[in-house]
Amino acid sequence: MTTKHTCCVYLGDELARYAFGDDHPFGPLRHDAFRNALYSKSLDRQVDVLNPVMATQDVLELFHDRDYIRKVKHMSKLGSGFLDQGDTPAFFGMYEAVLTVAGTVCNAIDRLINNEYKRAFIPIAGLHHARRHTAAGFCVVNDCGIAIEYLRHKHGINRIAYIDIDAHHGDGVFYSFENNPDLIFVDFHEDGRFLYPGTGDVAESGNGDAKGTKLNIPMPPAAGDELFMKLWPRAEEFIRKSKPEFVLIQCGADSIAGDPITHMAYSTAAHHHAVTRLCHVANEFCDGRVVAMGGGGYNLDNIAKTWTTVVSAMINAD
């Protein structure tokens, strides 16, 4: 395929199928809210729009326990019940949907490694709560963790920077790599005393050889752009010191003011700044390679304006 742009965006009904029904916060309209905004702002003319890609089970097994994957396959056929203690319901076709989320993120990684693109955005991705052995917080699998393992096992890239600006702490990533010194982890999130999952204290900085390779930045409820911008230089310096070989960013829109299940008050300027700066870091250290994942966000207008802002930042970061 001949590429026309430095950035690609993945869209398709197969991705939209990762959703929990019309009455659930993580519903099926999230994908279309972003897609419609991308086209209405003519951003599709400045990126290559690509189709989703389905993975095979061995890709899930890079991160998840085989017994847990069997459970996902079984409950996908049942289409009912919960995968955890009540946050993450099963739905028909769930297994195929998570294969698509994981496969699309990994396809983006392949394309960047092969120098087809410098940057990629996947809207329905960034499922950062799932652990290796269980679902959690609307996340059946953890495509962020899968991406980290895929970079290592498929491409031999170990020094990875993972940055998370979703309102919720990326606990599934943090605790899965808490002892791994090669994963540089930075997470801005609403203070766990006020919001699920209740983790991500500033004192949590990694264990053993990984001590000091993780940076948790809990934010008070109603924190806005001013505080984010004030704290960002510390995060960027932390990332730069590691000289990452690849950058992953989870850019949840639930940290934008007006989300129905969080208490943050960023505008899209926070996401624009973070993504722009991370692209500059990537340009300096790793040939510009940044994969951005949509993450959370339960206000459709916020999703539309935030994720199109992310794409705009990626387009203009050269």
Side-chain angles (χ1 to χ4, degrees):
M1 128 176 219
T2 302
T3 60
K4 298 187 294 182
H5 302 101
T6 59
C7 180
C8 62
V9 173
Y10 289 82
L11 291 171
D13 292 342
E14 300 91 342
L15 268 181
R17 290 189 187 115
Y18 185 91
F20 299 99
D22 295 338
D23 297 328
H24 193 279
F26 204 121
L29 300 181
R30 300 170 77 256
H31 171 277
D32 288 355
F34 167 67
R35 177 175 60 187
N36 294 342
L38 186 87
Y39 281 93
S40 69
K41 295 181 180 183
S42 298
L43 290 172
D44 59 297
R45 300 177 185 175
Q46 300 178 66
V47 300
D48 285 355
V49 177
L50 305 180
N51 293 322
V53 176
M54 185 179 287
T56 51
Q57 181 171 320
D58 60 302
V59 172
L60 301 185
E61 290 177 2
L62 290 172
F63 180 85
H64 288 287
D65 295 345
R66 189 168 294 178
D67 286 346
Y68 173 61
I69 296 170
R70 286 197 198 98
K71 178 180 178 179
V72 172
K73 291 173 76 172
H74 174 69
M75 295 191 70
S76 176
K77 294 174 182 175
L78 289 179
S80 62
F82 286 89
L83 289 139
D84 52 13
Q85 302 305 309
D87 283 329
T88 313
F91 58 92
F92 288 115
M94 175 178 65
Y95 178 64
E96 290 75 18
V98 299
L99 285 176
T100 300
V101 173
T104 301
V105 171
C106 292
N107 184 260
I109 288 170
D110 288 341
R111 289 179 182 274
L112 269 59
I113 296 294
N114 292 333
N115 296 314
E116 294 178 47
Y117 300 98
K118 291 175 68 175
R119 295 176 281 276
F121 179 72
I122 306 100
I124 309 302
L127 308 176
H128 59 174
H129 294 307
R131 304 294 181 94
R132 295 184 186 271
H133 65 288
T134 186
F138 311 162
C139 303
V140 176
V141 298
N142 192 323
D143 57 287
C144 311
I146 291 168
I148 293 163
E149 298 289 12
Y150 188 80
L151 279 163
R152 291 177 170 166
H153 289 89
K154 174 72 183 291
H155 294 292
I157 291 177
N158 291 305
R159 199 168 61 254
I160 300 158
Y162 171 86
I163 300 89
D164 194 320
I165 57 174
D166 190 290
H168 301 87
H169 182 236
D171 58 323
V173 180
F174 179 82
Y175 293 111
S176 296
F177 297 95
E178 188 178 19
N179 300 309
N180 191 308
D182 290 324
L183 181 72
I184 304 307
F185 177 97
V186 174
D187 195 311
F188 289 81
H189 53 275
E190 185 174 339
D191 193 313
R193 292 174 295 176
F194 307 101
L195 188 70
Y196 177 92
T199 55
D201 186 83
V202 67
E204 296 185 87
S205 62
N207 287 332
D209 291 342
K211 188 78 172 175
T213 64
K214 316 291 185 269
L215 181 61
N216 280 298
I217 305 177
M219 305 286 275
D225 294 349
E226 183 177 359
L227 182 58
F228 183 86
M229 300 298 185
K230 180 180 179 180
L231 295 173
W232 178 262
R234 179 188 174 205
E236 184 173 328
E237 181 183 6
F238 187 84
I239 297 161
R240 283 182 172 277
K241 279 168 53 179
S242 74
K243 298 181 179 179
E245 298 174 276
F246 205 98
V247 175
L248 301 169
I249 176 169
Q250 202 271 25
C251 40
D254 51 7
S255 49
I256 303 297
D259 190 272
I261 66 174
T262 73
H263 317 100
M264 302 291 279
Y266 300 164
S267 78
T268 58
H271 286 62
H272 186 276
H273 184 73
V275 173
T276 298
R277 294 306 308 164
L278 288 171
C279 286
H280 289 164
V281 170
N283 287 343
E284 185 173 345
F285 293 109
C286 51
D287 296 324
R289 292 168 179 157
V290 177
V291 168
M293 298 157 282
Y298 310 100
N299 174 315
L300 295 180
D301 289 339
N302 282 357
I303 282 174
K305 67 186 182 183
T306 303
W307 291 349
T308 52
T309 294
V310 167
V311 172
S312 294
M314 296 176 87
I315 291 168
N316 294 313
D318 287 324

